[in-house]
Amino acid sequence: AGVLATKAVPLGGRPLAPTLLPPPPARSRGQPDPPQLDVKDLPLAAALAPPKAAPGPGSPASQAEPIPQSFATALSQEDVPELEAPRARSAAEVLAGRWICVATWGLEEFLKASGVGVLQRKVALSMKWPTWDFTVYEGRVAFVNNSQLGDLKEEIIFGSAYVHKDARGNLYTCSAEWEGTANGGVLRIARRGSVGVFREERRVEGDTLTFVLTDGSGASWGRTFKRA
């Protein structure tokens, strides 16, 4: 039988009568079917095929394949350089040279807490800020405090106790230690004498030295120095 087909309806008119299309030619018995076209065998198959959807988040295709253990081991051992820890710097590298005082804090309050009278406090506060000189040699530090009272000297010894006399003639038994860091270091001195117990800390970071003196009661004062 023929195939039933219709034609478009003209604008403003009635539908046209259906017409019959002629049937396809009949094949004789034993005639092979026509070959089927497989687009996958054509050179343009990839271009004609519909695009594949991108893998969604969390899908196996969207995740990177793990690195084989043998490759990861070889990479960590051969291709990645070992990072060295920052080297601690010595006292000679950090302290040596001249330092200029640029700030003083807490001195008046510290003198009041120590029982120093008004007149002596005024004299101390009016004094010119000092400069410090350090020379480091053979486990020792030669320290010179260039103050308005004159050059006050101390030989700081690491590893054993030593005796120091201050500007007023007071004797102290002292112990000192140096702790180096990658950016500087810290010089700590503990002093014990007839007038009390004191701790001094000189912390260097780059070209800045911060000095803090603390007495046995916890009162403290300090200065800030810059490298000359």
Side-chain angles (χ1 to χ4, degrees):
V3 179
L4 183 63
T6 61
K7 295 185 178 180
V9 179
L11 294 176
R14 293 178 301 175
L16 300 177
T19 59
L20 291 176
L21 298 178
R27 297 191 305 271
S28 61
R29 184 182 300 272
Q31 182 179 359
D33 293 336
Q36 298 294 321
L37 181 63
D38 190 351
V39 297
K40 292 186 294 183
D41 296 332
L42 298 177
L44 297 180
L48 297 176
K52 296 183 180 180
S59 65
S62 66
Q63 301 176 0
E65 296 184 0
I67 300 176
Q69 183 63 31
S70 59
F71 177 77
T73 303
L75 181 65
S76 62
Q77 293 178 352
E78 298 177 4
D79 299 335
V80 179
E82 294 184 1
L83 298 178
E84 296 183 359
R87 181 180 62 86
R89 303 178 66 187
S90 67
E93 293 177 282
V94 177
L95 279 177
R98 170 160 291 192
W99 299 82
I100 302 173
C101 181
V102 296
T104 299
W105 56 268
L107 179 56
E108 185 172 12
E109 292 76 10
F110 180 85
L111 295 175
K112 285 182 180 179
S114 302
V116 177
V118 176
L119 182 59
Q120 290 179 306
R121 294 203 304 269
K122 287 184 178 180
V123 172
L125 294 172
S126 65
M127 287 185 176
K128 181 181 178 181
W129 290 348
T131 60
W132 288 355
D133 292 323
F134 294 93
T135 304
V136 183
Y137 62 99
E138 297 179 355
R140 302 187 178 197
V141 178
F143 170 54
V144 180
N145 180 359
N146 305 291
S147 72
Q148 193 168 330
L149 298 175
D151 293 344
L152 308 178
K153 300 179 180 181
E154 178 180 3
E155 187 174 78
I156 302 169
I157 302 174
F158 298 129
S160 63
Y162 65 95
V163 176
H164 172 65
K165 181 187 291 187
D166 67 11
R168 297 178 179 275
N170 300 309
L171 293 176
Y172 295 90
T173 300
C174 309
S175 61
E177 67 176 8
W178 171 258
E179 178 185 352
T181 65
N183 192 38
V186 185
L187 172 62
R188 299 184 180 92
I189 302 177
R191 306 186 191 274
R192 181 180 297 273
S194 58
V195 295
V197 177
F198 302 91
R199 298 191 312 275
E200 296 178 9
E201 180 179 280
R202 294 168 173 85
R203 180 177 296 273
V204 179
E205 294 182 353
D207 291 330
T208 300
L209 186 155
T210 304
F211 166 76
V212 180
L213 184 146
T214 306
D215 66 11
S217 68
S220 62
W221 72 282
R223 299 187 190 273
T224 302
F225 293 77
K226 289 293 185 180
R227 194 185 301 274

